[in-house]
């Protein structure tokens, strides 16, 4: 499954919508996404699974690159 993760770049940064970044990651579940990102300095705001029309829409974005973190 592909998930979209919304995050701030540092855990100490207060979430501000204008500073929110996103990335795409392949994982089995939301819990798996959090496990894969636990060593990163990110302040994860929201994780959503992409499927169907939502996934096809995101694939049209030139920044769509799925991270494969073990």
């Amino acid at each position: 499954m592909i998930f979209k993760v919304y995050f701030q770049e540092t855990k100490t940064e207060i979430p501000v919508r204008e500073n929110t970044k996103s990335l795409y990651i392949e994982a089995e579940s939301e819990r798996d996404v959090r496990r894969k990102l636990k060593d990163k300095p990110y302040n994860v705001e929201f994780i959503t699974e992409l499927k169907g029309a939502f996934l096809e829409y995101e694939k049209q974005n030139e920044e769509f690159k799925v991270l494969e973190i073990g």
Side-chain angles (χ1 to χ4, degrees):
M1 293 184 275
I2 306 290
F3 291 86
K4 185 172 184 178
V5 180
Y6 298 89
F7 68 96
Q8 302 293 315
E9 290 187 312
T10 64
K11 290 184 180 185
T12 59
E13 190 173 335
I14 296 172
V16 176
R17 182 175 44 179
E18 291 79 16
N19 297 337
T20 299
K21 309 256 190 269
S22 63
L23 61 85
Y24 306 92
I25 188 167
E26 188 167 349
E28 295 296 318
S29 64
E30 182 178 332
R31 181 177 288 194
D32 192 30
V33 172
R34 291 186 183 279
R35 184 186 56 77
K36 289 180 176 190
L37 295 176
K38 73 178 182 180
D39 295 331
K40 306 285 186 202
Y42 303 151
N43 181 6
V44 175
E45 291 181 41
F46 186 70
I47 300 171
T48 187
E49 180 183 355
L50 297 177
K51 56 186 171 183
F54 294 107
L55 179 57
E56 294 306 315
Y57 175 79
E58 292 290 344
K59 284 182 177 179
Q60 295 175 13
N61 184 347
E62 63 187 37
E63 295 179 15
F64 181 82
K65 294 179 183 108
V66 177
L67 297 179
E68 294 186 24
I69 301 173

